[in-house]
Amino acid sequence: MKGLLSYYESDSWLHRRNPVLKLLSLGLVVLAATLAYDPWTPLALLLLVVAAELLLGRVPLRAYAGFVLLLTLVGAIGFVSANAFFYTPAEGQPVTVLWRIGSARVTAEGLRMGLTLTLRMLAISMCSVVLVTTTDPTDLVLSLIQQARFPYRLGYGVLVAYRFVPLWQSELETIRAAHRIRGVGENKSLRGRWEQLRRYALPLLASAIRKAERVSVAMDSKAFGALPQRTYYRRLQVGLADWSMLLATGVITVLVLLGLAHFGLLAGFGAVPPA
Amino acid sequence: METRSLAARVEVRGLRVRYARARAHAIDGLSFEVRPGEVLLVLGPSGSGKSTLGLCLAGLIPQSVPARMEGTVLLDGVDAGTLSIGERTARIGMVFQDPEAQFCMLSVEDEVAFGLENMAVPRDQMDGRIERALEAVGLGHRQRERVDRLSGGQKQRLALACALARDPDVLFLDEPTANLDPAARFEFVQLLRELRQTRPDLSVIIVEHVLDDLIDLVDRVLVLTAEGTLLAVGAPRAVLDRRTQELDALGIWLPQVTALAHKLRLAGLRVPDLPLSVSEAAAAFGPLLKVGCILPDGAVPVAPDQPAALDVRNLSARYEHGPEVLHDVGLRVPRGAFCALVGPNAAGKTTLATYLVGIRAPEPGRVHLFDDDITTLSTADLTARVGYVFQNPEHQFVEQRVEDELAYSLRLRDRAPDEIAQIVDGLLRSFGLDACRACSPFGLSQGQKRRLSVATMLAVGQRALVLDEPTFGQDRHTAHALMERLLALQREGVTLLTITHDMQMVADYAESAIVLVGGRVRFAGSAAALFAQHALLEEAALRPPPLHALARLLGVRTADGALPLRMRDWYPCFGVGPGGVVEGGA
């Protein structure tokens, strides 16, 4: 599958970490980025996560540059411009107007807010980049089952669905080509789009249901869920290095927050925003 | 009563199965047994309960699939109804037909492990069992490969490995090669042959349509009728010999050489032992051959002076960031020709076809359609000249009723309603779809779907058709009916280019053939000339039909040196006239 973001096969330190502990560590970073109201915290966290991805994950920039660039673009256009123009301050707070274009105005506070939101989104997205690029999807599901008591029937269901995604993508492409041959035009009106969706959905659904039935019979024929207990070929362990990763992430995050607070750059977490 | 038959590994007594909401029984009163190490071939028309039988043996009916089951299944003399589903599935390994829909894991080793994990096999035993199973099917070096990177044939071998790793007593193979090309099918059968040597105790129950490569491996044959009752069970030669008429009526295809022997018997010749394999046939037919027989030239004359319908010059193509798929391809299909496009998997056949019908746009001057550069034609003009029949008919359906499906492109072109009605009626009639004109296209049978997809491509009067494996995954009966229909179209002057793996189809119907290997045209000429090029056939992974091998063994040729590949080509050799009667008295 050639998506925007997918697992990057390698054997780095980050690749070897337990998926659930990795998920928890990244969760800490996401939490910190969410609770901060200033642009500096998400920026610092973003840089740290990128550094971890490069140095500990050994994933080259190009593996996720497209994804990050797309988000940056969305952030820049959506968050920054919207806030720059339409920022309304809290009651009694003054705003600094930078430019006036007709009746519209661009405020410094609005720009800052837009930038903060964009950086926050990037920091959080970068955490998912680390998880996706350095974690084998099978390991992630197995670790959720083995370490987080995720129901295994559901877990294997997720794996089957994941397996079928590229198949359906290529099938959709074939259907589109087949319909073009029939002379079906791509109608841009709302009704036309609805018709088109129906036409694509029917053959896709027919094949999806048929395949799902077959897979489920095939799984049952291998005694899936027939015994009260099952063993695992891949046993995912939680080692000292995994706990250290969680601990180190926590410590570093707190240090970053304390450092920023020391220089008066931190907002949120009950800290007073700089005047 | 403790007098149970110790010899039977599987014993089925009075089995009746009825699916929920079905009117008739899928299996109706079936009794048979399978001994240890025996290979049982199950034959029957579609809908005769062959797959249902497998589901019953493994206990998936009624556990996973809602159906009512009566009668008993004994495994090694023990009533299987008293066993847990875990114990039952541990004894019976299943391989299904669809290579895309029997795996749930992403990597090869995980998939094999999955079946072991479910049986709670201790972790320290898994490595050895996975390795041995993959080794046994020739996938030892692909252990860490992703399942979606395997070819169809490799996927079916993986499915077999999954079953073998669980160390079953019985294998149930449900049309394991139906979706494979002939080379992969042959490989799979070879694997079963090896398995007989390495695991002599393993019983195998196999459902199959194409018997030529398989039949000498089979100990007994079980034939089911369309109603799910037992027609015959016994040694292959006995069943095929005594039940030939009934088998034929059920649409079951005999091995080619067996069918030929049957035809000769009907013509009054004495063939004491019905041959099942090519070597047996050579022995049986040798004495019957007229000495020094040279057959008249059987090939259909190709008309090279006809102007081209499809003309390709110096076409090269590569996928984005990918390797070259087509390299300097040049070919010419004359008007009214029936041409086969053949070659191994990933040779670029489908890619080439997509350039011929405008799905991909070539550079100007590369592809000509009835004398016009394809890049100069409007979409409406293009689709009015050439139709493209996709491998899966469902992909092409855009309407909810069969008649609307046929009228669709006509309505797009604003044809008059009574003209549309006339064309639609004509197509419904000539493609045998009259009875289901108001049905949903998705609810049709496989054969009907295929016929509908061909008919829709002729509605606006297309003079050329490109077909992508029209007989793929179909039983021989529907495949044959479709090819006869195409032949009729050719007689009406429609040009046909068919991608196919089925070499018997090429021999029976196509007059010319183009061989594509690695994106290059390696051969273009008459089908008869292709079959004379043994090295090329080998290189292109094309398995010539059994009559080809028989002709080579017996040294039979036509006047122009070609091999007789159609059954009727052989008649003169035995003094049998075209009507199937021995000439000048026997």
Side-chain angles (χ1 to χ4, degrees):
Chain A
M1 182 175 45
K2 267 173 73 183
L4 215 45
L5 193 63
S6 58
Y7 175 55
Y8 181 85
E9 227 174 302
S10 172
D11 189 33
S12 74
W13 189 82
L14 263 186
H15 279 81
R16 288 192 303 270
R17 293 290 64 79
N18 179 281
V20 165
L21 277 254
K22 206 189 299 178
L23 197 63
L24 286 177
S25 308
L26 292 166
L28 283 180
V29 179
V30 169
L31 191 71
T34 314
L35 292 179
Y37 292 158
D38 63 277
W40 305 108
T41 313
L43 178 64
L45 293 174
L46 175 65
L47 291 176
L48 282 170
V49 175
V50 170
E53 174 81 339
L54 286 173
L55 300 175
L56 300 175
R58 304 246 164 235
V59 182
L61 214 56
R62 60 178 158 77
Y64 51 91
F67 180 72
V68 173
L69 269 174
L70 184 79
L71 284 177
T72 314
L73 214 67
V74 170
I77 293 170
F79 291 144
V80 176
S81 63
N83 277 287
F85 284 107
F86 304 116
Y87 179 73
T88 35
E91 202 72 37
Q93 291 280 328
V95 290
T96 323
V97 177
L98 296 178
W99 298 289
R100 269 185 197 286
I101 311 159
S103 61
R105 58 181 172 72
V106 173
T107 62
E109 287 76 7
L111 270 183
R112 186 188 161 90
M113 175 63 91
L115 203 66
T116 307
L117 287 175
T118 305
L119 284 169
R120 184 190 290 174
M121 180 186 65
L122 283 178
I124 294 170
S125 312
M126 197 57 216
C127 289
S128 60
V129 166
V130 171
L131 184 71
V132 171
T133 54
T134 68
T135 316
D136 179 338
T138 308
D139 280 345
L140 177 61
V141 171
L142 288 178
S143 180
L144 282 169
I145 293 169
Q146 292 172 13
Q147 269 89 45
R149 293 173 187 272
F150 193 74
Y152 76 90
R153 284 162 197 272
L154 214 58
Y156 279 90
V158 171
L159 277 180
V160 173
Y162 183 82
R163 226 186 78 74
F164 275 108
V165 170
L167 213 65
W168 283 324
Q169 275 173 347
S170 73
E171 192 154 358
L172 182 63
E173 236 152 81
T174 312
I175 292 171
R176 289 178 69 151
H179 286 192
R180 273 209 308 282
I181 291 286
R182 295 295 309 276
V184 180
E186 307 241 316
N187 194 329
K188 291 278 188 280
S189 73
L190 208 62
R191 202 187 130 75
R193 277 173 195 271
W194 171 250
E195 278 289 297
Q196 195 166 303
L197 191 70
R198 184 190 62 73
R199 272 198 307 264
Y200 288 161
L202 209 58
L204 262 185
L205 221 61
S207 123
I209 291 172
R210 207 173 298 136
K211 295 239 186 282
E213 270 175 7
R214 288 180 189 160
V215 173
S216 106
V217 168
M219 286 170 82
D220 284 349
S221 81
K222 292 176 194 164
F224 180 62
L227 266 59
Q229 80 284 6
R230 75 194 302 277
T231 50
Y232 287 94
Y233 177 57
R234 294 200 208 185
R235 210 52 267 181
L236 289 146
Q237 314 285 350
V238 184
L240 199 59
D242 300 307
W243 289 116
S244 314
M245 169 180 64
L246 182 60
L247 188 67
T249 312
V251 169
I252 292 172
T253 308
V254 169
L255 284 178
V256 166
L257 293 177
L258 287 176
L260 290 171
H262 178 73
F263 292 106
L265 295 173
L266 183 72
F269 296 100
V272 188
Chain B
M1 282 239 293
E2 277 300 300
T3 51
R4 68 186 188 206
S5 146
L6 280 172
R9 173 132 287 164
V10 180
E11 193 179 341
V12 173
R13 283 191 205 147
L15 185 67
R16 299 182 83 204
V17 183
R18 189 151 109 188
Y19 284 102
R21 271 174 281 141
R23 268 190 231 120
H25 283 83
I27 293 180
D28 201 354
L30 182 61
S31 302
F32 67 94
E33 54 177 59
V34 185
R35 287 181 287 272
E38 191 176 34
V39 177
L40 178 75
L41 171 67
V42 181
L43 295 173
S46 57
S48 60
K50 305 184 295 286
S51 305
T52 306
L53 177 61
L55 299 179
C56 288
L57 295 184
L60 297 169
I61 286 179
Q63 298 268 8
S64 305
V65 182
R68 246 179 80 86
M69 184 186 133
E70 297 162 52
T72 41
V73 174
L74 302 173
L75 296 178
D76 285 320
V78 179
D79 185 346
T82 63
L83 299 173
S84 74
I85 184 83
E87 287 170 298
R88 270 177 94 155
T89 53
R91 295 197 189 188
I92 298 182
M94 306 276 287
V95 174
F96 298 93
Q97 176 181 347
D98 188 349
E100 302 307 329
Q102 49 184 319
F103 305 120
C104 59
M105 301 299 283
L106 302 174
S107 83
V108 167
E109 56 178 348
D110 284 331
E111 187 60 49
V112 183
F114 175 76
L116 302 176
E117 295 172 338
N118 294 331
M119 293 165 77
V121 169
R123 174 65 185 85
D124 53 8
Q125 291 176 21
M126 284 188 190
D127 286 314
R129 287 174 78 160
I130 292 171
E131 234 164 81
R132 277 194 300 277
L134 287 174
E135 212 58 67
V137 301
L139 287 175
H141 57 298
R142 308 292 292 270
Q143 189 160 346
R144 317 211 66 160
E145 185 66 275
R146 272 170 44 183
V147 175
D148 57 7
R149 292 212 183 119
L150 300 181
S151 70
Q154 289 167 336
K155 280 182 183 147
Q156 290 304 75
R157 272 148 56 198
L158 170 60
L160 185 61
C162 291
L164 289 176
R166 312 179 75 229
D167 206 10
D169 300 326
V170 183
L171 276 182
F172 191 95
L173 314 175
D174 191 357
E175 301 194 35
T177 71
N179 290 22
L180 303 183
D181 64 56
R185 173 187 299 146
F186 182 70
E187 253 176 55
F188 193 90
V189 173
Q190 287 302 101
L191 204 55
L192 294 181
R193 214 174 292 275
E194 281 166 31
L195 214 54
R196 284 218 84 170
Q197 307 293 318
T198 52
R199 317 233 346 209
D201 276 348
L202 186 67
S203 303
V204 179
I205 304 173
I206 180 166
V207 181
E208 265 301 346
H209 284 303
V210 184
L211 310 184
D212 293 284
D213 294 329
L214 181 74
I215 193 76
D216 64 305
L217 198 72
V218 172
D219 297 308
R220 284 194 308 147
V221 178
L222 181 141
V223 188
L224 293 169
T225 64
E227 292 75 38
T229 57
L230 181 72
L231 177 74
V233 60
R237 202 179 312 276
V239 172
L240 265 49
D241 199 342
R242 279 178 225 136
R243 302 291 188 146
T244 326
Q245 305 289 358
E246 287 117 310
L247 291 178
D248 197 48
L250 288 174
I252 293 165
W253 283 63
L254 303 172
Q256 286 274 317
V257 291
T258 313
L260 178 57
H262 181 59
K263 285 262 161 63
L264 295 179
R265 276 183 176 180
L266 284 180
L269 288 174
R270 240 183 66 78
V271 186
D273 290 315
L274 196 71
L276 300 180
S277 68
V278 171
S279 52
E280 284 175 10
F285 295 156
L288 299 174
L289 275 181
K290 302 206 145 183
V291 183
C293 169
I294 290 182
L295 294 166
D297 185 355
V300 190
V302 188
D305 47 341
Q306 282 288 326
L310 294 164
D311 192 358
V312 179
R313 295 167 206 162
N314 312 101
L315 178 69
S316 293
R318 60 172 68 244
Y319 285 131
E320 224 178 317
H321 314 298
E324 199 164 50
V325 202
L326 296 175
H327 183 82
D328 202 18
V329 167
L331 60 90
R332 189 176 176 284
V333 182
R335 287 180 198 187
F338 196 141
C339 179
L341 179 58
V342 297
N345 282 324
K349 302 188 294 291
T350 300
T351 308
L352 176 59
T354 57
Y355 279 106
L356 299 178
V357 297
I359 293 177
R360 290 202 177 82
E363 290 167 36
R366 302 285 186 224
V367 179
H368 293 260
L369 193 59
F370 295 101
D371 300 328
D372 289 314
D373 188 328
I374 202 168
T375 55
T376 65
L377 298 173
S378 71
T379 309
D381 211 1
L382 183 71
T383 50
R385 288 185 190 204
V386 62
Y388 185 48
V389 180
F390 280 71
Q391 209 180 83
N392 180 350
E394 281 186 3
H395 287 157
Q396 292 186 291
F397 297 152
V398 293
E399 288 285 359
Q400 296 172 49
R401 288 152 57 96
V402 168
E403 54 183 349
D404 293 335
E405 196 65 55
L406 289 169
Y408 182 81
S409 2
L410 295 165
R411 288 181 188 145
L412 271 187
R413 287 174 160 79
D414 293 324
R415 298 281 183 90
D418 40 333
E419 189 199 348
I420 294 180
Q422 198 190 338
I423 296 175
V424 169
D425 284 345
L427 286 170
L428 284 171
R429 225 173 306 118
S430 63
F431 281 86
L433 293 165
D434 234 346
C436 43
R437 61 187 304 153
C439 309
S440 160
F442 290 91
L444 300 176
S445 76
Q446 276 306 315
Q448 289 169 330
K449 276 181 196 165
R450 171 57 68 198
R451 292 207 298 278
L452 176 60
S453 72
V454 175
T456 56
M457 281 300 150
L458 296 166
V460 285
Q462 285 94 331
R463 302 304 292 160
L465 268 190
V466 178
L467 305 104
D468 193 352
E469 302 205 40
T471 58
F472 189 80
Q474 303 208 358
D475 64 62
R476 300 293 278 187
H477 234 37
T478 31
H480 189 68
L482 177 74
M483 294 314 292
E484 286 300 325
R485 183 64 219 139
L486 291 178
L487 213 55
L489 284 174
Q490 189 206 7
R491 282 195 287 270
E492 292 164 23
V494 176
T495 309
L496 299 161
L497 179 67
T498 307
I499 297 177
T500 185
H501 281 298
D502 185 342
M503 297 312 281
Q504 187 61 49
M505 191 179 105
V506 177
D508 285 344
Y509 298 99
E511 72 220 14
S512 58
I514 294 164
V515 179
L516 210 58
V517 180
R520 290 160 203 265
V521 174
R522 290 298 314 275
F523 173 90
S526 79
L530 168 63
F531 285 111
Q533 302 211 13
H534 310 301
L536 177 64
L537 290 173
E538 191 105 343
E539 182 196 335
L542 302 172
R543 286 195 41 82
L547 292 183
H548 180 271
L550 182 64
R552 290 182 69 191
L553 267 181
L554 291 175
V556 179
R557 295 193 176 284
T558 59
D560 57 356
L563 298 168
L565 298 171
R566 291 170 301 185
M567 217 156 285
R568 60 178 178 273
D569 296 342
W570 282 78
Y571 293 166
C573 240
F574 300 101
V576 175
V581 185
V582 178
E583 283 167 347

